[in-house]
Every structure is written in structure tokens, then in C-alpha cells.
Amino acid sequence: MAKRSTLSKGVSSIGAFTRNNLERMGAVIDGMNAKTSKPRQYKAVNLGDNDYQQDLFREQTLKATQQLLGPRFATYGKYAKRVVPNSLFQSTLDGAFAQVAKLAFNWSQIDLPHEHRFANIESLDDEQRYALATDIANQNRALATMGGLTGLAGLPGLLADTLWLLLVSLRTVYQLAAVYNKPLTGTQGIKMAYELLANADLSKMQEKQALLAGIGIGKGLLDNAQNNGLHNELKNLGLKNKNVNFYAEQVDRVASQVGIDLDQVNLSWVRRLLPATAVVIGMRYNSQLIDEVIGVAQATFAPEAKLANRAITDDSSSEVKVDKAGDNAQKTDEQAEQTDAKNTDTAKESAKKDAENKDTKSKEHKDTVDKNAKNSDKTDRTKADKKSAEQSSADK
């Protein structure tokens, strides 16, 4: 029992260490993406809609399989259509992708309970949920980017990378839905998860697949040329593909004019460079593709529009602009407060002056009335004195 407890603690410690490092790695990748791409707003998906296009993962998985098997894929498909009805083939394909979704769901359920903040998920406010969602997004961003390492395996790595990116993308959708208390479960949850992926802009996946397929074919060509000679390999490639024949002839002609023997060219450094190039391309495209999935998932499950449209990337330049806008707004508010204060003081002074003017006018009016009253009394006294004098004169 003690051994099991110790083992459980050890596994938990390793899991926590791994998650923390994935979060740091994802945050660094997020910062790099912010410097090289423009922030954008993502639209929420109305989950449950029956009318939606098929996700690109299915199409690109088939293309990767075709690239891996080459002519054999067309041969297998030709004979399979004669034996297996198309409806059965589609049903089998749907079942295979449903199994991938179930695997992603189980993976998300194993990982989420170990998040210490997830234990009180119901009591978190919107900002706290967003912080937890950002950490989980960074974990998946790092995992998806690491899938680019499959470029070292050439064409087999192309198929592995596509399936890995699909698995991580579904895991991201399931986890973000759970963080925002909108879990996707059962068959309907699988349908909604793929519906969300279908509405994400994954067009760059086609670019990535074309580049990696070209590098894989080029590496195979150089491997054969190392044994058979580049001249013979270009000739054989031209015979197999008429579209390539023209370019193969041009390379052969230029080499003859310059005096280079293609069979004697050392291609070892080029063969080493191609896998490294494939890794860089795969990691770069994977980080962009998972950003699309994260953005659409955030927009769909976040409870508020400001959180849904909030950029996942931490763009420092955007932060500077926001700070400047905040400073300007603060200055404007301060200026408005100062103006209001000045207007208030002016109004007070005006009221004070009006009161003083009223007091002055009232005083002046009173003085005038008093003065008039005094003058009237004086006039009356003068008349009385004069009348009294005249009466005295008459008596005499």
C-alpha cells in the first residue's frame, strides 16, 4: 500500500512537472506567433448544426496515406471499390475517426483532474476560467508543435504528424469545453468536436502537407541517387512522371555544359539538411494550426464576448497600444474632471458676484429711499416753518 502511494505521488509529480514545462513552452511559442502574425478575432460556432462541411483532417489523412503508399494506394483503392461498397467504406472511415476522438476524450479526462485549479472549477469566475483555459491552451500548443519532429521520418512522418495534430486538436476542444463547464460527451460530443474543427480555418494544412510531401519525395530521390547516381535517378524519375521529365532534362543539360558529373556529386549534406527543414516547417505550421483551433474553441465556449474575442496570443505591441489608449482615456477623464471643476468654480464665483450685486443694489435702493424720505421731511419742515412765519406776520 505504501509502495503504491509512493508510486502514485511520483507519477503525479512527473505529471505536474511535465504540464508546467509544456505551459512555459507553449507561452514562448505563443509569444513568437504574436510577433510574426496579426491578432484576429474568431467567430463562435453554432454547435449542433447538421449542415457543415467535412473537416480537413479527414481529407489530409487520406492524402498523406496516398503519398506514403504511392501507386499502391491507387491500386488498393481500385480493387477495394469493386469489393466494398462506398457506403461501407465511409462508415468504416467514420468509425476510425470516432475512435481517434474517443482516444482524445480519454486523454483529456486523464489530464484535467490533475490540475489543482480544476477541482473548484464551478466556483471560478470568468477571468479565472480564462486563465485556466490559457494554461491548457499553452499545453496543447506545445504538444502540437512538437509533432513537427515527425518530419525526421520522411513520408511516414507526414501521416503520423497529421494524426497527432488531429488528436491534440480534439483534446484541446474537449478540455476547453470542460473548463467553461460545457463538456462534450458521447456520440453527440464527437460530432460537435469535429464540427468545431470543420469551422476552423485549417487551410494552411494543405500548404504544410504539400511542402512536407515534396521534401519527403526529394529525400527519397537523394537516397536512391546516393546509391545509383543522380544522373540515373533523374532519368528514371523523368520516365515515371512526364511532368518532371522536362525539369530533369534541364538539370542534366546544365550540368553537362558546366562540366559537372552528377553521379560524382556528394549529396550527403543535402540529405541531412532536408529532414531538419521538414522539422522546422512542420513545427511552424502546427503552431499556427493549433492556434486556429484554440481561437475558435475559446470563441465558442467562453461565456462573454470580450473573453471569446480576446486574442490568445500575448502581443506586446498590442499591449502597448492598449496602455496608450488607456493613458489617453485617463488623460481625457482628468481633463474632463478639471473642466467640470473649473465650470463649477466659475458658477460659484458667478453666483457669489450675483449675490453681491443684489446686496449692493438692495443697499443702494435702501439708501435712495432713505435719502428721499429725508429730503421729503426736510421739505415738509421748510414749508411748515414758512407757513408758520407767514401766519405770525399776519397776526402782527
Side-chain angles (χ1 to χ4, degrees), residues 117-306:
R117 292 173 292 176
F118 196 77
N120 300 320
I121 189 68
E122 295 181 357
S123 63
L124 298 180
D125 58 28
D126 292 342
E127 291 292 340
Q128 290 173 327
R129 286 179 190 273
Y130 180 81
L132 177 57
T134 301
D135 289 341
I136 289 176
N138 283 332
Q139 291 180 26
N140 290 294
R141 182 179 286 109
L143 289 170
T145 304
M146 290 167 60
L149 295 173
T150 57
L152 295 171
L155 288 176
L158 181 62
L159 179 59
D161 177 47
T162 304
L163 293 175
W164 173 256
L165 184 59
L166 172 61
L167 186 66
V168 176
S169 297
L170 289 170
R171 177 180 186 263
T172 303
V173 174
Y174 280 123
Q175 287 188 327
L176 292 181
V179 168
Y180 288 113
N181 203 24
K182 298 177 182 178
L184 304 179
T185 57
T187 304
Q188 187 65 16
I190 293 174
K191 177 181 175 295
M192 288 183 175
Y194 276 112
E195 184 179 351
L196 190 144
L197 294 183
N199 284 275
D201 183 11
L202 302 177
S203 56
K204 288 187 178 295
M205 187 184 299
Q206 296 173 330
E207 298 178 15
K208 182 193 78 169
Q209 196 122 10
L211 290 171
L212 294 180
I215 292 175
I217 293 173
K219 186 177 181 299
L221 171 66
L222 295 179
D223 289 340
N224 294 331
Q226 190 71 18
N227 299 324
N228 305 326
L230 183 58
H231 175 78
N232 292 331
E233 191 58 31
L234 288 174
K235 185 178 179 179
N236 294 333
L237 184 62
L239 293 174
K240 293 179 181 179
N241 193 333
K242 294 181 179 180
N243 295 328
V244 182
N245 186 44
F246 172 77
Y247 300 101
E249 290 178 352
Q250 295 300 316
V251 172
D252 194 16
R253 184 174 62 83
V254 171
S256 299
Q257 291 178 351
V258 178
I260 298 177
D261 187 358
L262 293 177
D263 292 335
Q264 299 300 321
V265 175
N266 187 2
L267 303 173
S268 58
W269 66 274
V270 182
R271 294 169 60 205
R272 293 171 185 169
L273 179 63
L274 287 181
T277 305
V279 169
V280 173
I281 291 175
M283 295 179 71
R284 177 60 180 163
Y285 273 92
N286 281 5
S287 66
Q288 293 177 347
L289 290 168
I290 197 64
D291 275 351
E292 291 291 329
V293 175
I294 293 170
V296 175
Q298 282 278 81
T300 302
F301 299 121
E304 296 183 9
K306 65 179 182 179

Side-chain angles (χ1 to χ4, degrees), residues 48-53 191 195 199:
D49 187 7
N50 293 323
D51 185 18
Y52 67 93
Q53 62 182 359
K191 177 181 175 295
E195 184 179 351
N199 284 275

Side-chain angles (χ1 to χ4, degrees), residues 17 20 54 57 63 70 84 89-90 96 98 106 109 116 163 175 183 192 206 238 290 299 310 316 325 358 361:
F17 177 79
N20 290 336
Q54 200 68 256
F57 280 104
K63 285 187 176 179
V84 181
F89 174 77
Q90 291 297 330
N106 292 332
Q109 292 301 305
H116 64 281
L163 293 175
Q175 287 188 327
M192 288 183 175
Q206 296 173 330
I290 197 64
R310 200 171 182 177
S316 57
K358 287 182 180 179
K361 289 181 180 179

Side-chain angles (χ1 to χ4, degrees), residues 40-42 127 130 295 298 305-313:
R40 52 166 299 202
Q41 292 184 345
Y42 298 92
E127 291 292 340
Y130 180 81
Q298 282 278 81
K306 65 179 182 179
L307 294 179
N309 293 331
R310 200 171 182 177
I312 300 298
T313 55

Side-chain angles (χ1 to χ4, degrees), residues 25-158:
M25 180 180 175
V28 171
I29 297 171
D30 188 21
M32 294 172 62
N33 289 341
K35 294 178 181 179
T36 56
S37 59
K38 297 180 180 179
R40 52 166 299 202
Q41 292 184 345
Y42 298 92
K43 294 183 180 180
V45 179
N46 183 20
L47 297 179
D49 187 7
N50 293 323
D51 185 18
Y52 67 93
Q53 62 182 359
Q54 200 68 256
D55 61 280
L56 286 178
F57 280 104
R58 183 175 305 222
E59 177 185 343
Q60 296 305 316
T61 300
L62 293 176
K63 285 187 176 179
T65 306
Q66 183 178 3
Q67 291 287 345
L68 178 62
L69 298 178
R72 289 176 294 175
F73 181 83
T75 304
Y76 296 153
K78 181 180 178 180
Y79 288 107
K81 288 181 179 180
R82 295 179 180 179
V83 179
V84 181
N86 187 55
S87 58
L88 181 58
F89 174 77
Q90 291 297 330
S91 177
T92 304
L93 194 62
D94 292 341
F97 279 93
Q99 290 301 319
V100 175
K102 290 179 181 178
L103 179 60
F105 175 78
N106 292 332
W107 187 13
S108 68
Q109 292 301 305
I110 291 174
D111 190 61
L112 275 183
H114 291 86
E115 289 285 348
H116 64 281
R117 292 173 292 176
F118 196 77
N120 300 320
I121 189 68
E122 295 181 357
S123 63
L124 298 180
D125 58 28
D126 292 342
E127 291 292 340
Q128 290 173 327
R129 286 179 190 273
Y130 180 81
L132 177 57
T134 301
D135 289 341
I136 289 176
N138 283 332
Q139 291 180 26
N140 290 294
R141 182 179 286 109
L143 289 170
T145 304
M146 290 167 60
L149 295 173
T150 57
L152 295 171
L155 288 176
L158 181 62

